[in-house]
CSV table of all heavy atoms in Angstrom, one decimal:
chain,number,residue,atom,x,y,z
A,259,GLN,N,-117.8,182.4,-49.3
A,259,GLN,CA,-118.9,182.1,-48.4
A,259,GLN,C,-118.4,181.8,-47.0
A,259,GLN,O,-117.3,181.3,-46.8
A,259,GLN,CB,-119.8,181.0,-48.9
A,259,GLN,CG,-120.6,181.3,-50.2
A,259,GLN,CD,-121.5,180.2,-50.6
A,259,GLN,OE1,-121.3,179.1,-50.3
A,259,GLN,NE2,-122.6,180.6,-51.3
A,260,ALA,N,-119.3,182.0,-46.0
A,260,ALA,CA,-119.0,181.6,-44.6
A,260,ALA,C,-118.6,180.2,-44.6
A,260,ALA,O,-119.2,179.3,-45.2
A,260,ALA,CB,-120.1,181.9,-43.7
A,261,GLY,N,-117.5,179.9,-43.8
A,261,GLY,CA,-117.0,178.6,-43.7
A,261,GLY,C,-115.9,178.2,-44.7
A,261,GLY,O,-115.2,177.2,-44.6
A,262,GLY,N,-115.7,179.1,-45.7
A,262,GLY,CA,-114.7,178.9,-46.7
A,262,GLY,C,-113.3,179.3,-46.3
A,262,GLY,O,-113.1,179.7,-45.2
A,263,SER,N,-112.4,179.2,-47.3
A,263,SER,CA,-111.0,179.5,-47.0
A,263,SER,C,-110.5,180.4,-48.1
A,263,SER,O,-110.9,180.4,-49.3
A,263,SER,CB,-110.2,178.2,-47.0
A,263,SER,OG,-110.6,177.3,-46.0
A,264,LEU,N,-109.5,181.2,-47.7
A,264,LEU,CA,-108.7,182.0,-48.6
A,264,LEU,C,-107.2,181.9,-48.2
A,264,LEU,O,-107.0,181.8,-47.0
A,264,LEU,CB,-109.2,183.4,-48.7
A,264,LEU,CG,-110.4,183.8,-49.4
A,264,LEU,CD1,-110.8,185.2,-49.2
A,264,LEU,CD2,-110.3,183.5,-50.9
A,265,ARG,N,-106.3,182.1,-49.1
A,265,ARG,CA,-104.9,182.2,-48.8
A,265,ARG,C,-104.4,183.5,-49.4
A,265,ARG,O,-104.4,183.8,-50.6
A,265,ARG,CB,-104.1,181.1,-49.4
A,265,ARG,CG,-102.7,181.0,-48.9
A,265,ARG,CD,-101.9,180.0,-49.7
A,265,ARG,NE,-100.6,179.6,-49.1
A,265,ARG,CZ,-99.6,179.2,-49.8
A,265,ARG,NH1,-99.6,179.1,-51.1
A,265,ARG,NH2,-98.5,178.9,-49.2
A,266,LEU,N,-103.9,184.4,-48.5
A,266,LEU,CA,-103.3,185.7,-48.9
A,266,LEU,C,-101.8,185.5,-49.0
A,266,LEU,O,-101.2,184.8,-48.2
A,266,LEU,CB,-103.6,186.7,-47.8
A,266,LEU,CG,-105.1,187.0,-47.5
A,266,LEU,CD1,-105.2,188.2,-46.5
A,266,LEU,CD2,-105.9,187.3,-48.7
A,267,SER,N,-101.2,186.2,-49.9
A,267,SER,CA,-99.8,186.2,-50.1
A,267,SER,C,-99.3,187.7,-50.1
A,267,SER,O,-100.0,188.6,-50.5
A,267,SER,CB,-99.4,185.6,-51.5
A,267,SER,OG,-99.8,184.3,-51.6
A,268,CYS,N,-98.1,187.8,-49.6
A,268,CYS,CA,-97.4,189.1,-49.6
A,268,CYS,C,-96.0,189.0,-50.0
A,268,CYS,O,-95.2,188.3,-49.3
A,268,CYS,CB,-97.5,189.7,-48.2
A,268,CYS,SG,-96.6,191.3,-48.0
A,269,ALA,N,-95.7,189.5,-51.1
A,269,ALA,CA,-94.3,189.4,-51.7
A,269,ALA,C,-93.5,190.7,-51.4
A,269,ALA,O,-94.0,191.8,-51.7
A,269,ALA,CB,-94.4,189.2,-53.2
A,270,ALA,N,-92.4,190.5,-50.7
A,270,ALA,CA,-91.6,191.7,-50.4
A,270,ALA,C,-90.4,191.8,-51.4
A,270,ALA,O,-89.9,190.8,-51.8
A,270,ALA,CB,-91.0,191.5,-49.0
A,271,SER,N,-90.0,193.0,-51.7
A,271,SER,CA,-88.9,193.2,-52.6
A,271,SER,C,-88.1,194.5,-52.0
A,271,SER,O,-88.6,195.2,-51.2
A,271,SER,CB,-89.3,193.4,-54.0
A,271,SER,OG,-90.2,194.6,-54.1
A,272,GLY,N,-86.9,194.6,-52.6
A,272,GLY,CA,-86.1,195.7,-52.1
A,272,GLY,C,-85.1,195.2,-51.0
A,272,GLY,O,-84.6,194.2,-51.2
A,273,ASN,N,-85.0,196.0,-50.0
A,273,ASN,CA,-84.0,195.7,-48.9
A,273,ASN,C,-84.6,194.7,-47.9
A,273,ASN,O,-84.8,194.9,-46.8
A,273,ASN,CB,-83.6,197.0,-48.2
A,273,ASN,CG,-82.3,196.8,-47.5
A,273,ASN,OD1,-81.7,195.8,-47.5
A,273,ASN,ND2,-81.9,197.9,-46.8
A,274,THR,N,-84.8,193.4,-48.4
A,274,THR,CA,-85.5,192.4,-47.6
A,274,THR,C,-84.7,191.9,-46.5
A,274,THR,O,-85.2,191.3,-45.5
A,274,THR,CB,-86.0,191.3,-48.5
A,274,THR,OG1,-84.9,190.7,-49.2
A,274,THR,CG2,-87.0,191.8,-49.5
A,275,LEU,N,-83.4,192.0,-46.6
A,275,LEU,CA,-82.5,191.5,-45.5
A,275,LEU,C,-82.7,192.3,-44.2
A,275,LEU,O,-82.3,191.9,-43.1
A,275,LEU,CB,-81.0,191.6,-46.0
A,275,LEU,CG,-80.6,190.6,-47.1
A,275,LEU,CD1,-79.2,190.8,-47.4
A,275,LEU,CD2,-80.9,189.2,-46.7
A,276,THR,N,-83.3,193.5,-44.3
A,276,THR,CA,-83.5,194.3,-43.1
A,276,THR,C,-84.8,194.0,-42.4
A,276,THR,O,-85.1,194.6,-41.4
A,276,THR,CB,-83.6,195.8,-43.5
A,276,THR,OG1,-84.7,196.0,-44.3
A,276,THR,CG2,-82.3,196.2,-44.2
A,277,ILE,N,-85.6,193.0,-42.9
A,277,ILE,CA,-86.9,192.7,-42.4
A,277,ILE,C,-86.8,191.8,-41.1
A,277,ILE,O,-86.1,190.8,-41.1
A,277,ILE,CB,-87.8,192.0,-43.4
A,277,ILE,CG1,-88.1,192.9,-44.6
A,277,ILE,CG2,-89.1,191.5,-42.7
A,277,ILE,CD1,-88.9,192.2,-45.7
A,278,ASN,N,-87.4,192.3,-40.0
A,278,ASN,CA,-87.4,191.6,-38.8
A,278,ASN,C,-88.7,190.8,-38.6
A,278,ASN,O,-88.7,189.6,-38.2
A,278,ASN,CB,-87.1,192.5,-37.6
A,278,ASN,CG,-87.1,191.8,-36.3
A,278,ASN,OD1,-86.8,190.6,-36.2
A,278,ASN,ND2,-87.5,192.5,-35.2
A,279,VAL,N,-89.8,191.5,-38.8
A,279,VAL,CA,-91.1,190.9,-38.6
A,279,VAL,C,-92.0,191.2,-39.8
A,279,VAL,O,-92.0,192.3,-40.3
A,279,VAL,CB,-91.8,191.6,-37.3
A,279,VAL,CG1,-93.1,191.0,-37.0
A,279,VAL,CG2,-90.9,191.6,-36.1
A,280,PHE,N,-92.7,190.1,-40.2
A,280,PHE,CA,-93.8,190.2,-41.1
A,280,PHE,C,-95.1,190.2,-40.3
A,280,PHE,O,-95.2,189.4,-39.4
A,280,PHE,CB,-93.8,189.0,-42.1
A,280,PHE,CG,-93.0,189.2,-43.3
A,280,PHE,CD1,-91.8,188.5,-43.4
A,280,PHE,CD2,-93.5,189.9,-44.4
A,280,PHE,CE1,-91.0,188.6,-44.6
A,280,PHE,CE2,-92.8,190.0,-45.6
A,280,PHE,CZ,-91.5,189.4,-45.7
A,281,GLY,N,-96.1,191.0,-40.8
A,281,GLY,CA,-97.3,190.9,-40.1
A,281,GLY,C,-98.5,191.1,-41.0
A,281,GLY,O,-98.3,191.6,-42.2
A,282,TRP,N,-99.7,190.6,-40.6
A,282,TRP,CA,-100.9,190.8,-41.3
A,282,TRP,C,-101.8,191.6,-40.4
A,282,TRP,O,-102.0,191.2,-39.2
A,282,TRP,CB,-101.6,189.5,-41.7
A,282,TRP,CG,-101.0,188.9,-42.9
A,282,TRP,CD1,-100.1,187.8,-42.9
A,282,TRP,CD2,-101.2,189.2,-44.3
A,282,TRP,NE1,-99.7,187.5,-44.2
A,282,TRP,CE2,-100.4,188.3,-45.1
A,282,TRP,CE3,-101.9,190.1,-45.0
A,282,TRP,CZ2,-100.4,188.3,-46.5
A,282,TRP,CZ3,-101.9,190.2,-46.4
A,282,TRP,CH2,-101.1,189.3,-47.1
């Protein structure tokens, strides 16, 4: 409902050492 909250998660796998930026 309006005014409420949610928490999104994003799990990365594979060649994660190459990640520079995470974005939504």
Side-chain angles (χ1 to χ4, degrees):
Q259 289 187 333
S263 299
L264 284 174
R265 189 192 196 205
L266 305 183
S267 299
C268 174
S271 61
N273 200 1
T274 59
L275 292 179
T276 65
I277 295 173
N278 180 29
V279 184
F280 271 104
W282 284 100

